[in-house]
Structures are given as structure tokens and as C-alpha cells.
Amino acid sequence: MNPVRQVTGRALPLDRRDVDTDQIIPSDWLKRIERTGYGAGLFEAWRADPAFVLNDARFRGAKILVAGANFGCGSSREHAAWALADWGFGAIIAPSFADIFRSNGLGIGLVLAELPELDVAQLLAAVEADPTLEISVSVEAREVTVAALRYSAPFPLADSWQARLLAGQDEIELSLTHVDSIAAYESRRSSWLPTLS
Amino acid sequence: MTTGRPLAEKVWEAHVVHRAAGGPDLLYVDLHLVHEVTSPQAFEGLRLAGRRVRRPELTVATMDHNTPTVADRAIADPDSARQIATLAHNCAAFGIRLFPMGDPGQGIVHVIGPQLGLTQPGMVIVCGDSHTSTHGAFGAIAFGIGTSDVEHVLATQTIARPRPKTMAVSLDGPAPADVTAKDLILGIIARIGVHGGIGHLVEYGGEAIRALSMEGRMTVCNMSIEAGARAGMIAPDAVTFAYLEGRPHAPTGAAWERALDHWRGLPTDADARYDREVRIDARLLRPYVTWGTNPAQSVAIDDRVPDPETLADDASRDSARRALAYMDLRPGTAMRDIAVDTVFLGSCTNGRIEDFRAAAAVLRGRRVRRGIRALAVPGSMAVKAQAEAEGLDRIFRDAGFEWRIAGCSMCLGMNDDVAKSGERIASTSNRNFEGRQGPGARTHLVSPAVAAATAIAGHFAAPADLS
């Protein structure tokens, strides 16, 4: 994961709630064994509609996705986070994120900013009215700011996630610093627990 | 004075390897289930970093999503074939036990774990698949993870997660006789919503849950993720122990007794508190059919397609309008008046032996309505063998069902079992998302009993509707 301090840029408004990962990347794309190249499949079915916001030239090059509540619900496919990042999004703002999507997204360095529903509704309206509006999502300050609107609001981000995003830290490396605790835990596991050997 | 603890907290605390302020808990993983779709990039990551699998003997793999459900059929799609071959290669290279295509132990990952006795109370179980919540039926904490986390578990046998909140969902009173486990969970999701469980480990309890078999409890826990829950759990009891005893990986002899002692201490203490509690009167539940494009959008089979304009808030109205347009349904249409093209019986939600028994009881001596394509896809090769030993396959075939071999099949259409655009399906699976069973396909979630009756009637029907 590359370090990320802040994502600043124009936004794309996706005014729908409960956007599921089957929509973000359909299962046909899950047959691939690579980690890259999923942007081409992002919202594949919805993109077939010329009126879909991803086809709207005014929002081309947007770095921030603003969406409805429960974004990324459904399947655990990390391919959904890969597709969003591959398309060019660096941050997503929504009233809430599904739990598995949250760990998948943050884990690859997608900054997920949870803001109150009313704030998100206002941001959606503001971006729709002015596609050039610049939004900034700061990992360092744990804050979303829109200078043109004099808007600034904090979003929740655990200290550990903030540190990992800022350092671009590999979680496996981090967990392996606790390898002695892992081994100690293993030595006291109950002997009846199943094994496949 | 010490306060009692909920089941979820007991299991969680027993697995903490490392805890630090401001960070997630590092939890030990007792069982890691692996399948072909979400693992290739994880194994590749291990290779690139020069890492090994820490505990291959706590890891088990199967092929399920891409596998053909027609016996002896080769995989036509080169991408699917490559993914299947990659899993076989990775399991051989890293020393992981694999149940490959053609093996009598092969099946959907969430069907074979319990069947082998690998899923036990009090464990932490993960898999790169959101329906891992199924295993919570045994009183385990079981949840889906992404591919980077699959790599993390392979390398460390641990998973980092923030401490969850706890939530109790109690189904009070007996459910009506025609209400199945699938209807219980569809009823729960309709009430708490597809986001209602976010951040929570949900424990299901109450008379209607305790009355369920292990198969029924797995159906309920399976769809916890459709309510957004981090996991779903049911306290282990005599039903759990009876299911486990004698299974290949269940403890035996003195070890069985020690395990039982431990398991009996897991249920939630009488004075324990949950962060949130929901009570539902099970006597009011009905057999449900979904009308929309998320699993909370359902009505009783006796009911009608709702009018979006009568819904409470803007977001629900907008979501319902969009769903009805996709599903090509008009408000006010009686569910029983909706004709289907296809019936799919199977999946990790409803692909167990009891599901096939329930459907067979409806199908016996009857014929599938002309023009309807009906698929019966056992969740595992062992379920298939058991059904055949009971003569159920004959009932399905005689009724006009295609009797297939095990796999995820039309639940998500990663193999050849893909629905066509516009095709309307009564499906016992777990997700009615747009395009889930094929681009443009229209999915209605139902129980096995309603699926079978619908296949006979040609439109949504309950078994009692059939003459």
C-alpha cells in the first residue's frame, strides 16, 4: 500500500444507497487471478445506461466518490475496492460503509470518510450543481473540507488505520511483529480443536 | 459484582492474541476456509513476499463457485478453468488439503465445513466469502474477509478486527407451521434493514430459533450479512452437540467430554447485556417472497407488490422505484399472480439435505409446470449422495427438475448456470441484487418449500395452495 496523507480533487455524485459489490464489480470479473485491471468493469451494468453518472463527461477525472448509506454491502470481494481504485478514486464519502468493504477499502489505501447523512446529501447536491467543486479528504486531520463552501467536518478513523494509511504500512508485517504472542497463543489452544493433518 | 457476558464476547475474548489501545484486536483463527475465487492473489502475495502458510493444517480448500454442475462436463470458460487450476496448484505448493472437483468431499465451502465437523462451537472461522456467517449457527464467530485478509490469515493465522458491538435478535413464540428458517431470516432482515447489523455481532435467540434444526440455524446465520451484520451466531445446545457427535473432525472419547464442558459454558449469561436488542413476535411471521433488489424488500406471499409512493422516506421510495423498474413489477400485483421462468433450489443458504427433503415433500407425485426450468443443485457431493440414498433424486427427476452435482451454481452464475436477461427466478439463494444471477435477470428469494410449490404452480405459491 502506498502512503496517503490527503486526497484532493473533484467528486462524482452517486446518489444511491445500499450500493452492493455485485454492482461495483460483477461476478464475471472475479474469474480473473490478477490484482489489477478491474477499473474497466467498474459498475459495468449501470454504465450500459448512457445517463449513468460515470458516463457523464462533467465528472470525468473525479478522485472522490460521494455515495449513499451502506456503500459496498453484500459480497466480500476485494475486487470492488480494486476496481474503484483502478478507476482513479482515492476516497469515498458516504453516511456509512458495509463492514467488509470498509476493511477491504482502507486496507488498499482507499480513504473512507463517513459523514452524517445530511452532510452527504448537501455534498451530493453541491457537486451535482458544480462538478468542478474541489473536495479534500485529509487522513492527517481526519477531516473533509470544501473550501468553496466553507465546509469542514471530522470523520471517524481509528488511530491504527490513520497510522497505516500515513505510513503505507503492510499489515502482515505489522502482525508478524507479534509472532511471539501468536506462538504463545498456539501453545495454549485446546487439543480437541480440529486440524486437517 | 461481575456482570455476565454475551456468547459473542466470550468467543471473541478467548481469541485475542494481541490488543493495543486505538487499534484492532489481533484474533487467532481456528479455521480458514479457502475457495478458488478470492484466493489466487493472496497466494501470489505470499510468493512475492517469500512467505509460507503458517498453519496449513488449519486451512481447508474446495472448488465451488466456478464448477460445472453437470457431471463430467469440462469447464468451458478459460478464465474459470485457469482459476480452478490455480487453486489446485496453490494447495499442492503450500500443503493445503483440497476437495477438488470430482471428489466425494467437494461442495460449497459453507456446506462442507459443518458436514465434516470442522465447524465447532466457540471457534473463530474466516473465509474469503461473505456467507461465512453460516458457521455462526454452531456458536462460532465466523465472518467473510477480502483477499488481502486471506493472505494475512495464510501468513499469520490471525485477523485484525476492531472489537464489535453485540446485538440480540429474539424471535419470541413459536413460528407458524408453514414458516421456515428462510422465512425467519427474511422477516428479520425486512424489520432491521440491509444495514441494520452494521458493526454488530448478532446473536439470534428465542423459541422460534431454538426450535430449528442445525440446517435451519445455518440458513438463518447465512443471511446475517444481508442485514449488514459482521456475523450471526446461535448459542450451542443439545441440537448442536447431537449434530456434531460422530462427524469426521469432531472430538471423540475423553476429548469430546472436555469439549462439551467448554461448549456448555459458551451461551450468554442470564445477566449479560447487549449493545442493542430487537424482539420480534415469531407468531406474526409468514412465508416471504422478495419483490425488489435487496433482501429487505420482501412481502408475505399472501401480500402484494408495494407502492413505492406509500413508503416512509425519500431514500426508500427512490430505492423501491428503481427496484420495481428493474424487476418489471407493478405496485398492487398479488405475489401469487407473478409467473416465473425458472426455479433454483440450492446454494449455501438452502442447499442442505433438509432443504431437499422439504422440497421433495411438496414435489412428490407432482409435475413442474410446463415451460419452467427447474434446477436442484445439492450444496455438496455428500448432500447429493444422502439425497440419492433417500430416493429424493427420483422425486426431483420425476417432477421434471434437473438433478445436478454440487456447486454455487445459479446463486451467482460464475459457472454455466447463468440466467438470461429478463428471466424471472424463484430462488432459494441469498441475494436478489440486480444482475446477481445473470445480467438483467430478476431474482425473487424464497424458501425451498415455496420454490417447489412455485415450480408446480408456475407462479409464486405456498405448498398449501396446491390441490
Side-chain angles (χ1 to χ4, degrees):
Chain A
M1 171 164 86
N2 294 320
V4 49
R5 309 188 81 77
Q6 163 163 311
V7 180
T8 302
R10 290 184 295 113
L12 184 136
L14 181 59
D15 189 10
R16 298 187 190 191
R17 69 174 191 187
D18 306 317
V19 172
D20 63 74
T21 54
D22 274 77
Q23 306 315 314
I24 300 172
I25 188 85
S27 65
D28 210 34
W29 285 83
L30 273 53
K31 296 174 182 174
R32 301 175 71 245
I33 61 172
E34 294 81 11
R35 213 179 248 270
T36 53
Y38 292 91
L42 182 68
F43 293 116
E44 188 173 56
W46 288 353
R47 264 163 70 193
D49 172 7
F52 182 56
V53 65
L54 230 70
N55 296 322
D56 190 332
R58 294 177 301 150
F59 300 107
R60 199 161 290 157
K63 278 192 193 161
I64 296 165
L65 178 67
V66 187
N70 197 26
F71 186 84
C73 61
S75 155
S76 65
R77 57 188 73 169
E78 190 167 318
H79 312 60
W82 295 338
L84 288 158
D86 195 42
W87 178 267
F89 291 115
I92 307 175
I93 297 171
S96 59
F97 296 94
D99 284 311
I100 307 177
F101 179 80
R102 171 186 287 276
S103 14
N104 288 343
L106 289 168
I108 65 157
L110 257 183
V111 185
L112 305 182
E114 210 175 274
L115 292 180
E117 193 126 29
L118 226 59
D119 290 32
V120 174
Q122 284 170 356
L123 286 180
L124 282 168
V127 171
E128 268 157 24
D130 177 10
T132 68
L133 194 68
E134 191 174 87
I135 297 181
S136 188
V137 182
S138 165
V139 175
E140 235 168 357
R142 290 185 262 220
E143 212 169 58
V144 174
T145 52
V146 190
L149 301 178
R150 295 166 192 256
Y151 173 88
S152 169
F155 66 88
L157 184 69
D159 294 350
S160 56
W161 276 122
Q162 186 192 38
R164 275 188 57 198
L165 287 167
L166 291 173
Q169 197 170 25
D170 173 33
E171 193 184 27
I172 297 179
E173 228 163 76
L174 190 68
S175 295
L176 286 176
T177 63
H178 304 300
V179 71
D180 291 344
S181 306
I182 298 173
Y185 183 92
E186 285 174 331
S187 69
R188 44 174 211 270
R189 290 180 78 233
S190 303
S191 58
W192 75 72
L193 285 163
T195 67
L196 284 120
S197 54
Chain B
M1 195 187 86
T2 58
T3 36
R5 297 186 299 165
L7 162 70
E9 191 183 322
K10 293 184 193 182
V11 179
W12 185 279
E13 292 299 321
H15 287 82
V16 176
V17 168
H18 177 80
R19 173 172 285 165
D25 285 344
L26 194 62
L27 296 181
Y28 198 79
V29 172
D30 294 310
L31 178 66
H32 184 194
L33 305 159
V34 172
H35 62 84
E36 77 274 15
V37 179
T38 54
S39 65
Q41 298 88 349
F43 285 111
E44 182 62 15
L46 286 186
R47 272 196 196 89
L48 290 172
R51 292 181 176 126
R52 64 188 177 90
V53 175
R54 182 176 176 87
R55 298 295 299 272
E57 78 279 17
L58 301 184
T59 313
V60 64
T62 187
M63 298 168 172
D64 54 9
H65 286 66
N66 286 273
T67 56
T69 57
V70 176
D72 304 320
R73 176 176 291 181
I75 299 178
D77 184 327
D79 287 338
S80 290
R82 185 172 65 143
Q83 192 161 66
I84 287 287
T86 301
L87 181 67
H89 172 71
N90 284 330
C91 288
F94 288 94
I96 292 167
R97 176 81 166 91
L98 169 68
F99 292 96
M101 277 168 64
D103 189 288
Q106 180 264 343
I108 304 176
V109 68
H110 310 308
V111 176
I112 68 168
Q115 174 184 293
L116 289 166
L118 287 168
T119 301
Q120 297 176 15
M123 292 172 69
V124 166
I125 299 172
V126 299
C127 173
D129 190 285
S130 61
H131 292 110
T132 308
S133 56
T134 309
H135 307 265
F138 291 78
I141 290 179
F143 53 89
I145 59 178
T147 297
S148 296
D149 278 334
V150 169
E151 184 181 338
H152 186 280
V153 179
L154 290 171
T156 69
Q157 202 57 37
T158 63
I159 184 88
R161 282 290 180 277
R163 237 183 302 179
K165 293 182 184 142
T166 57
M167 176 169 166
V169 173
S170 180
L171 291 185
D172 303 324
D178 60 348
V179 167
T180 69
K182 181 65 161 285
D183 303 308
L184 298 184
I185 189 62
L186 285 173
I188 291 169
I189 296 167
R191 281 159 180 79
I192 69 174
V194 288
H195 55 273
I198 287 184
H200 291 77
L201 293 187
V202 173
E203 182 184 344
Y204 304 99
E207 187 179 344
I209 294 289
R210 295 256 73 88
L212 292 174
S213 65
M214 284 316 295
E215 283 85 352
R217 294 177 187 189
M218 285 188 255
T219 299
V220 170
C221 287
N222 172 275
M223 289 187 70
S224 301
I225 183 68
E226 312 316 334
R230 283 176 63 182
M233 305 176 81
I234 293 173
D237 61 11
V239 176
T240 321
F241 308 145
Y243 177 96
L244 269 170
E245 193 168 13
R247 294 199 177 258
H249 289 276
T252 55
W256 171 256
E257 296 303 325
R258 273 186 290 134
L260 270 184
D261 283 345
H262 175 67
W263 297 342
R264 286 186 176 124
L266 291 174
T268 297
D269 300 319
D271 57 344
R273 289 276 179 80
Y274 299 89
D275 295 304
R276 195 178 155 203
E277 297 190 38
V278 174
R279 302 197 83 92
I280 294 171
D281 187 346
R283 285 165 290 230
L284 303 179
L285 298 178
R286 295 292 306 136
Y288 294 103
V289 181
T290 62
W291 51 265
T293 52
N294 77 48
Q297 292 173 323
S298 65
V299 289
I301 191 165
D302 325 287
D303 215 332
R304 292 169 184 277
V305 175
D307 182 349
E309 307 317 315
T310 63
L311 298 178
D313 59 286
D314 284 351
S316 303
R317 280 193 291 275
D318 180 57
S319 163
R321 277 188 216 113
R322 199 186 299 282
L324 290 190
Y326 179 85
M327 295 296 289
D328 191 28
L329 291 173
R330 279 211 303 270
T333 307
M335 295 312 288
R336 284 189 171 88
D337 287 345
I338 300 171
V340 306
D341 305 300
T342 302
V343 173
F344 170 63
L345 178 60
S347 85
C348 60
T349 310
N350 283 126
R352 298 182 185 80
I353 187 65
E354 267 197 4
D355 300 314
F356 292 92
R357 287 180 189 144
V362 177
L363 297 173
R364 191 186 301 270
R366 294 188 165 113
R367 287 284 305 168
V368 168
R369 178 93 171 183
R370 187 193 298 263
I372 287 183
R373 177 184 180 209
L375 295 183
V377 186
S380 70
M381 292 308 279
V383 168
K384 176 173 180 280
Q386 170 77 29
E388 289 171 358
E390 296 179 18
L392 303 184
D393 59 318
R394 287 298 302 273
I395 297 172
F396 280 98
R397 287 182 211 272
D398 289 350
F401 265 78
E402 295 175 39
W403 181 251
R404 299 289 190 86
I405 64 170
C408 298
S409 182
M410 199 184 267
C411 173
L412 84 171
M414 282 189 74
N415 67 350
D416 294 338
D417 304 330
V418 183
K420 292 189 293 288
S421 184
E423 193 171 334
R424 191 177 298 282
I425 308 140
S427 180
T428 65
S429 55
N430 40 58
R431 291 194 172 127
N432 50 341
F433 295 158
E434 291 181 28
R436 172 77 178 178
Q437 298 187 290
R442 298 173 178 134
T443 304
H444 296 264
L445 304 178
V446 293
S447 70
V450 168
T454 300
I456 304 299
H459 52 78
F460 288 107
D465 300 342
L466 305 175
S467 52

